[in-house]
Amino acid sequence: SPPNPQPDFENYWERAKNELAAVDPQYHLQKIDSLSTSRRTVYLLEMRSLGNVLIRAWYSVPTKAGVYPAVLSLQGYSTFMIPEIADFGDDIIGLALNIRGHGNSKTDLDPGFPGYLQHQLADKEQYIFRGAYMDCARAIDFLFSRDEVDKKRVGVEGGSQGGALTFATAAL
């Protein structure tokens, strides 16, 4: 179907990105020894996103020193990311994000399922997916903050809702 953006479309997303930029991400990495191996180090990542909502992800880095391409993985509706999803082998960094209200990112916001899709639907400034898209943008911010990430080789992937989040992340 042809694009049909609302008159405030560009301004809406620019404002969202500016609001996100005003939130101190407070990146916190906690190494998880029980999940780390001789080839990969696995971390629990905590960070603040739009509305100061706490979100979490699994960050998996090759143990061999170097600069690596990275892949951000995004989950389907009502599913959750586990550390194994961030394992892309010996030469790629993985970040498996749980957007707000999913998996281990339910501390500050948990509308539940069903109901997630409709959470704050009547208020475009508070609608759940406005924040979820910004969670994905925050994850990209994190990757670009890391010395071990090759900023010219960062990809995003996901299926179902994760596919939609992938398109939104690339567009933003």
Side-chain angles (χ1 to χ4, degrees):
S1 60
N4 184 20
Q6 297 301 305
D8 68 340
F9 183 82
E10 293 291 331
N11 178 267
Y12 177 79
W13 290 111
E14 284 305 313
R15 280 188 301 100
K17 290 190 290 186
N18 289 336
E19 288 174 35
L20 178 65
V23 174
D24 178 4
Q26 301 174 39
Y27 301 129
H28 176 72
L29 283 173
Q30 177 186 348
K31 182 180 176 190
I32 309 297
D33 291 324
S34 63
L35 298 174
S36 297
T37 67
S38 61
R39 56 181 271 284
R40 298 193 70 74
T41 305
V42 178
Y43 300 89
L44 173 64
L45 168 63
E46 294 183 329
M47 55 191 161
R48 293 286 171 174
S49 187
L50 190 70
N52 206 39
V53 171
L54 178 66
I55 58 172
R56 295 182 176 94
W58 299 103
Y59 187 56
S60 183
V61 182
T63 55
K64 183 176 62 173
V67 176
Y68 296 95
V71 176
L72 169 62
S73 293
L74 302 168
Q75 84 273 355
Y77 183 75
S78 79
T79 66
F80 56 91
M81 294 303 221
I82 57 174
E84 293 79 7
I85 292 171
D87 186 344
F88 286 95
D90 293 346
D91 296 317
I92 298 177
I93 291 171
L95 181 61
L97 175 67
N98 280 301
I99 59 171
R100 59 187 63 212
H102 283 72
N104 58 358
S105 293
K106 294 180 180 181
T107 303
D108 291 347
L109 185 63
D110 185 12
F113 303 98
Y116 189 90
L117 287 171
Q118 295 83 20
H119 186 72
Q120 298 287 348
L121 181 62
D123 182 351
K124 69 181 183 181
E125 301 300 319
Q126 298 299 315
Y127 182 48
I128 192 81
F129 276 99
R130 183 175 191 254
Y133 293 160
M134 292 299 105
D135 295 348
C136 298
R138 178 61 79 198
I140 295 292
D141 292 342
F142 169 77
L143 288 172
F144 276 73
S145 77
R146 305 298 300 176
D147 292 337
E148 65 269 18
V149 171
D150 180 347
K151 280 70 167 180
K152 293 181 180 178
R153 297 189 298 162
V154 174
V156 185
E157 63 92 25
S160 191
Q161 173 187 263
L165 293 168
T166 295
F167 285 125
T169 302
L172 290 166

